[in-house]
Amino acid sequence: SGTVVTGDETNFQSQLRTDNAILAGVSTANNKTREEMRVITMVSSPISISLLSTFSNDLKNSTPFTFINKPRDIHKEHATKAQMAKEEQEAIESQAMGFYWPFTTTPINY
């Protein structure tokens, strides 16, 4: 049992992202299936992902799965957008040049 999952005819890179959760049916000792969820730590290739922790039992056969996207962090997205806008404005202002003629004929260059 390990944290690397190898898919069969999968395209993990187009379906999954780091911090998504994957749900798969895992066989129990009494031959029943229990759905377990694990967090994806890395999408390595179309057929390989790494998980934060192992499933309780190995998935020895092809196993259908579903996934849940990581919820968006709206507050973080807004803060990042505001910070980027601030940095862009500062860059524009630091490169601003112009000639200003106050009440004299000698230009002042900023």
Side-chain angles (χ1 to χ4, degrees):
S1 117
T3 58
V4 175
V5 174
T6 302
D8 180 31
E9 296 183 30
T10 56
N11 194 359
F12 290 147
Q13 285 179 316
S14 69
Q15 295 176 307
L16 306 173
R17 301 281 178 264
T18 299
D19 294 329
N20 285 137
I22 188 168
L23 292 96
V26 177
S27 295
T28 63
N30 57 2
N31 290 327
K32 294 191 177 189
T33 302
R34 176 181 62 232
E35 190 169 69
E36 293 185 9
M37 179 175 66
R38 297 295 181 266
V39 175
I40 299 167
T41 57
M42 181 173 30
V43 180
S44 306
S45 72
I47 62 165
S48 180
I49 58 174
S50 295
L51 305 176
L52 184 61
S53 60
T54 63
F55 286 104
S56 60
N57 290 316
D58 286 345
L59 305 177
K60 296 180 181 180
N61 300 316
S62 292
T63 304
F65 69 93
T66 58
F67 63 94
I68 301 170
N69 289 322
K70 177 183 176 182
R72 291 176 59 189
D73 186 342
I74 301 295
H75 296 294
K76 184 176 180 180
E77 289 176 21
H78 286 295
T80 300
K81 187 176 180 180
Q83 181 64 30
M84 289 176 63
K86 178 182 175 186
E87 290 172 4
E88 183 179 340
Q89 184 62 33
E90 288 172 353
I92 290 169
E93 290 174 4
S94 71
Q95 297 175 11
M97 293 182 62
F99 291 98
Y100 301 93
W101 285 271
F103 302 104
T104 67
T105 58
T106 307
I108 300 172
N109 189 4
Y110 287 93

